[in-house]
Amino acid sequence: MAQNLVEICTLLVDDLYGELSSQVFAILMRLGRASFPMLRVETRLSTRNLRNALAVLIQQQLCLWYTDDDGVSHYEADWYHAYALVKSGKIVRVTEERCGEAAGLLMSNLLELGHCRVGDLVVAYAGVIEKNPSTISTQEHHINSSTLTNGFSDREHNENVHEKGQRSGQIESVAQLRAELDKLLKLGLVRSTQSFHFKPDADIHTEASVAVRDKGEFSQGIKGTKATARYEHAVGRQKKQWRDDSMQIQPFQSTRTNSKRKREENDATNERIKPNGYLTNGINGINGHAHSSNYDGTNHTAPLDVCVTFRDAVCFVAETNLQDNVVVRVNYEKFNVLFRSEQLVGLSERFLGEITAKVFETAVRLVEKKIPRCFDQLLEALKATPVDEEGDECDDDEYIEPLITPAEIAAALDPNIDLKSGLGHGEGTDDNEDDRRQRQTTVNEDLHDGDDVNNLRANGTRVKEEPESEQQQLIHQYMEILREDPRHFVNWEGSRRGGEWSVNFRSLTKYLIQIQIDNTVTARFGREAARVIRVLHSKGKLDEKQVAKFGFLREKHVRAILTRLQEAGFVEVQEVPKDNNRQPSRTIFLWYFDQDRCRRLILHDTYQAMARILQRAKFEKDRIKDVLDKAERTDVKGKEDRFLTEDERLALRRWLEVEEILLTQLGRQDDLVALLRDFIHVEAV
């Protein structure tokens, strides 16, 4: 793992969770895997402090752990979730844009908590609503600062309260919280969490291997190359099945038996609970294990400043659609899909205009609902694993790209968009007759002999289809524009359902990466060096004369450029001797460009830049630490002009300006990291 990435993660943990947690996290990053006694020796902390630090890290999903058969727990640092701390602002922003301000504030609470039981979250909101509902506003980033928006309300329950909450920016019932959480779950922005998600990958692989060996043909041993391939394929499918099953959420059972209700009241009559107060080990709290603690009963919770009795909150929990024992957390993989869509829409707007970009954005949003993650490493491993005809084959549905139709795009498209203006049509003009004829010809070519266009379906049945509306015809023209563009934003997949299309996520992502590589080379070595990179990327391996010919450059000048690029690692050279003597005069030197190598090179440079930004921010903050401590006092907030001197106000103003500049640059660097690492598979981080 890159040292700069370790430094970034440690600085983020230190800034958000304190020096104690960052010290333990840094040790875990250095050791890789350690037991509790080993951590005590390395950190030189007391047992209590070490347990508190591990509880915080596990609560925030920054530490993975596994207990073996001997009862010994092993811990590993989760660098992926540690780095995701830098994305918190973007996650809240995207949630607000997609689901409304209330959902964004609820997402902010989940980010602060790490993971939380639905029941605890409902109890916390219910307590605040019951105590002082008039002070709950979306302007305050507190636990109960959410409101219902965008039409996902439960119209059969408290519809008037929902409408009032939307207008006033307040949340006034648990039903609104339920609707917001249900909205996030449906979109995949929030997912359920089980003990499976807190185990390291190596231990999951070991358990999957044991599970496969204990059943089926592998119980008697594995012999031969084909058997080994089938075994590896079965292990991969087992891991994928566990992962997919962990995403499922069981519906809430609203009917409680008298015995269960009585048992709950007897066990927790006067008990005061805090949200997520007994989930430091990631257990879902099912079957009565919710009150168990992994650290000698020590309560390690994220502060919500809300405590209510369990008996008073039972009625609120019973209103939800989810089981109160379900644990939820932010789904970072789904947010990577949304971030990728933003960059692709920006690319389409850059080359094809605003209206075409709006159509493409609608298509991408329809497709991304069916995509849980940008890159499925387990699925790709199953594709790469060879199996014979009698082996365990994967379902074909797992490999099918999500498809969309013009009818679906027309239903989801903003009706205020003037599609004709983007095509240069005047008012009252109809669809171009040549385009209609060409599309009809394309449809006929895709059909079998004797099939009628108007009565063919995917399953072979013949049902008459409704004719395309004018809006669908215009959208079809926009899709043709996207398909015929040199970047090939979409692909034509067939004529069923009026035309099916798919989005070229992988090729578009590679194109964005190549643009970033060209920009980096241009900034460092000039435009001629970027031209050489484009020539090598387009033509493959070339010698100096060919590079000079295709790049319209002098040969001596090309040699100097190639030497500089080779020293920086952007191009490589291959020696092809003409005879066995391997003399330089009898050797052909072929230059070539490797995009994956350049991508990893720029990724590590970006890590270094982000680490320096975080270091600089910490240094600037420490310079005026006394002023910041004074300004953050409750009696000073909002009254800085009265309690701060002129020099202190000037220093505070300068710090805010520096912080804004550094955080803006940090966000840009994070966008680059997402493009180079999260949108497409990178073997080495």
Side-chain angles (χ1 to χ4, degrees):
M1 181 178 296
Q3 180 62 32
N4 292 318
L5 178 59
V6 175
E7 192 173 358
I8 292 172
C9 297
T10 305
L11 290 171
L12 290 171
V13 174
D14 179 70
D15 182 60
L16 294 176
Y17 305 112
E19 184 179 358
L20 179 62
S21 298
S22 65
Q23 180 182 357
V24 177
F25 183 83
I27 295 296
L28 287 174
M29 292 288 286
R30 179 170 60 87
L31 296 179
R33 184 181 180 95
S35 61
F36 192 86
M38 186 183 300
L39 287 176
R40 284 193 58 189
V41 174
E42 293 291 337
T43 59
R44 299 181 181 179
L45 296 174
S46 63
T47 302
R48 180 178 181 181
N49 290 338
L50 182 56
R51 284 176 174 173
N52 291 340
L54 288 174
V56 172
L57 294 177
I58 294 175
Q59 173 70 33
Q60 301 300 329
Q61 309 167 45
L62 304 177
C63 179
L64 304 174
W65 62 279
Y66 178 79
T67 302
D68 56 21
D69 297 336
D70 297 332
V72 179
S73 296
H74 302 273
Y75 304 91
E76 290 185 16
D78 189 350
W79 67 266
Y80 182 81
H81 286 96
Y83 177 85
L85 295 174
V86 79
K87 301 177 180 289
S88 298
K90 295 179 182 179
I91 290 175
V92 175
R93 173 185 61 80
V94 171
T95 305
E96 290 179 351
E97 293 176 356
R98 298 292 185 100
C99 308
E101 184 180 2
L105 294 173
L106 177 59
M107 182 66 67
S108 177
N109 292 325
L110 291 176
L111 287 170
E112 294 176 0
L113 292 171
H115 63 277
C116 179
R117 288 177 69 248
V118 173
D120 290 335
L121 196 62
V122 172
V123 166
Y125 274 87
V128 175
I129 294 171
E130 184 179 2
K131 289 180 181 179
N132 194 2
S134 62
T135 61
I136 303 168
S137 175
T138 56
Q139 302 299 326
E140 300 177 3
H141 291 263
H142 293 162
I143 178 64
N144 200 20
S145 56
S146 299
T147 184
L148 188 68
T149 57
N150 291 347
F152 281 85
S153 60
D154 186 1
R155 296 181 180 179
E156 298 179 357
H157 183 74
N158 290 340
E159 182 175 359
N160 295 331
V161 174
H162 290 174
E163 294 179 356
K164 182 179 179 182
Q166 291 178 0
R167 294 192 303 267
S168 62
Q170 296 180 357
I171 180 168
E172 301 183 4
S173 69
V174 175
Q176 296 182 19
L177 169 64
R178 176 190 61 190
E180 292 295 337
L181 186 58
D182 183 65
K183 183 197 311 181
L184 296 176
L185 286 167
K186 287 181 179 178
L187 294 177
L189 305 182
V190 173
R191 60 176 296 177
S192 64
T193 300
Q194 300 178 9
S195 58
F196 170 84
H197 299 104
F198 291 84
K199 296 179 181 179
D201 293 338
D203 297 304
I204 294 176
H205 184 81
T206 301
E207 290 184 352
S209 302
V210 174
V212 171
R213 289 178 182 175
D214 291 342
K215 61 181 180 179
E217 60 175 315
F218 306 108
S219 58
Q220 303 298 328
I222 305 171
K223 297 180 180 179
T225 305
K226 293 184 178 180
T228 302
R230 291 196 303 270
Y231 169 74
E232 293 177 354
H233 190 85
V235 172
R237 286 193 60 83
Q238 182 67 60
K239 292 163 61 177
K240 185 177 182 299
Q241 180 181 355
W242 286 348
R243 185 199 62 188
D244 296 341
D245 292 344
S246 65
M247 297 285 292
Q248 304 297 328
I249 299 179
Q250 299 179 356
F252 177 76
Q253 299 176 357
S254 58
T255 304
R256 293 168 173 262
T257 59
N258 295 331
S259 60
K260 183 177 181 179
R261 184 184 299 274
K262 183 176 180 180
R263 182 171 64 254
E264 290 176 341
E265 293 179 356
N266 292 335
D267 293 342
T269 302
N270 297 318
E271 182 180 358
R272 299 173 65 85
I273 62 174
K274 290 185 178 181
N276 209 27
Y278 33 81
L279 289 167
T280 57
N281 58 352
I283 303 299
N284 258 330
I286 300 176
N287 300 328
H289 297 291
H291 294 275
S292 63
S293 174
N294 197 37
Y295 300 113
D296 299 339
T298 307
N299 188 15
H300 313 289
T301 63
L304 292 182
D305 300 329
V306 178
C307 291
V308 295
T309 61
F310 184 81
R311 173 181 290 179
D312 296 336
V314 168
C315 59
F316 295 102
V317 176
E319 294 178 358
T320 60
N321 290 329
L322 301 172
Q323 290 186 357
D324 56 335
N325 287 328
V326 172
V327 182
V328 294
R329 68 172 182 178
V330 179
N331 188 3
Y332 293 104
E333 291 181 334
K334 185 64 176 183
F335 276 101
N336 288 333
V337 177
L338 306 188
F339 295 149
R340 180 181 64 179
S341 300
E342 285 186 344
Q343 296 198 25
L344 296 183
V345 171
L347 179 67
S348 65
E349 185 176 2
R350 172 184 174 186
F351 289 100
L352 299 176
E354 182 180 359
I355 304 299
T356 307
K358 290 292 184 182
V359 176
F360 182 67
E361 180 182 9
T362 305
V364 169
R365 290 197 176 189
L366 290 173
V367 172
E368 70 185 13
K369 294 179 181 179
K370 309 173 186 177
I371 302 177
R373 55 190 60 85
C374 291
F375 181 84
D376 194 340
Q377 188 172 359
L378 295 179
L379 185 58
E380 292 295 330
L382 291 178
K383 291 181 183 180
T385 303
V387 293
D388 56 13
E389 297 180 356
E390 299 179 356
D392 185 15
E393 298 290 347
C394 293
D395 296 335
D396 294 336
D397 295 340
E398 296 178 344
Y399 302 114
I400 297 178
E401 294 290 339
L403 304 178
I404 49 175
T405 63
E408 295 174 347
I409 298 175
L413 190 65
D414 186 359
N416 297 323
I417 298 177
D418 187 5
L419 296 177
K420 291 184 178 180
S421 63
L423 296 173
H425 292 182
E427 293 185 0
T429 58
D430 199 358
D431 190 10
N432 187 278
E433 190 66 25
D434 293 337
D435 293 336
R436 291 185 182 180
R437 189 180 300 109
Q438 181 180 3
R439 184 164 63 254
Q440 185 71 21
T441 302
T442 305
V443 171
N444 292 334
E445 291 176 353
D446 291 339
L447 298 177
H448 297 289
D449 295 337
D451 289 334
D452 188 4
V453 178
N454 294 326
N455 53 13
L456 182 67
R457 285 195 179 274
N459 58 0
T461 60
R462 297 177 176 274
V463 180
K464 185 175 181 179
E465 296 182 355
E466 298 181 358
E468 286 186 346
S469 63
E470 181 182 7
Q471 186 184 26
Q472 294 181 22
Q473 294 171 1
L474 293 174
I475 290 175
H476 193 102
Q477 293 185 45
Y478 279 103
M479 299 301 286
E480 287 291 343
I481 293 174
L482 291 167
R483 181 179 68 89
E484 294 173 359
D485 185 83
R487 284 150 287 276
H488 302 293
F489 287 92
V490 295
N491 280 336
W492 167 266
E493 299 295 343
S495 59
R496 295 178 299 180
R497 299 187 298 166
E500 292 180 335
W501 303 81
S502 64
V503 181
N504 290 328
F505 286 109
R506 185 173 182 83
S507 62
L508 291 174
T509 301
K510 288 187 175 182
Y511 182 80
L512 285 174
I513 292 174
Q514 188 59 38
I515 290 178
Q516 185 57 48
I517 293 175
D518 292 342
N519 294 338
T520 302
V521 173
T522 302
R524 293 185 184 182
F525 307 103
R527 298 175 61 182
E528 294 179 345
R531 190 192 308 173
V532 171
I533 291 292
R534 288 193 295 269
V535 168
L536 292 176
H537 182 246
S538 175
K539 301 298 182 179
K541 296 181 179 180
L542 301 173
D543 59 14
E544 292 180 0
K545 293 182 179 180
Q546 293 174 322
V547 173
K549 176 182 178 181
F550 289 118
F552 297 97
L553 298 171
R554 293 183 300 175
E555 186 175 346
K556 293 183 179 180
H557 191 38
V558 167
R559 185 176 304 167
I561 294 175
L562 290 173
T563 302
R564 294 174 59 193
L565 291 174
Q566 184 189 22
E567 292 176 353
F570 286 94
V571 298
E572 294 295 333
V573 62
Q574 179 182 359
E575 300 180 4
V576 182
K578 295 181 180 180
D579 51 30
N580 295 331
N581 295 329
R582 306 184 69 88
Q583 296 180 0
S585 60
R586 300 285 299 171
T587 302
I588 301 175
F589 296 92
L590 299 178
W591 297 87
Y592 65 94
F593 167 78
D594 187 355
Q595 188 186 69
D596 289 338
R597 174 184 172 87
C598 294
R599 178 182 60 179
R600 290 191 292 267
L601 182 64
I602 297 177
L603 179 62
H604 291 172
D605 292 343
T606 307
Y607 284 151
Q608 183 177 4
M610 294 182 68
R612 299 299 175 263
I613 292 173
L614 292 173
Q615 289 178 352
R616 185 67 182 182
K618 183 178 180 181
F619 172 76
E620 294 290 343
K621 187 176 181 179
D622 292 340
R623 290 178 60 182
I624 57 169
K625 182 179 180 181
D626 296 336
V627 178
L628 292 176
D629 292 340
K630 183 178 180 180
E632 291 175 357
R633 286 166 42 184
T634 56
D635 58 334
V636 178
K637 282 186 176 181
K639 304 176 182 178
E640 288 81 1
D641 295 339
R642 178 180 176 184
F643 292 100
L644 296 181
T645 64
E646 183 177 355
D647 294 338
E648 290 175 340
R649 292 196 299 270
L650 180 60
L652 183 61
R653 190 179 306 111
R654 289 178 177 175
W655 155 246
L656 294 177
E657 294 176 355
V658 172
E659 183 185 34
E660 182 180 2
I661 295 173
L662 293 176
L663 292 181
T664 301
Q665 185 62 27
L666 185 67
R668 293 173 180 172
Q669 299 294 326
D670 177 61
D671 292 338
L672 181 56
V673 170
L675 172 62
L676 300 175
R677 188 196 67 189
D678 298 333
F679 298 168
I680 196 169
H681 178 56
V682 180
E683 295 182 358
V685 179

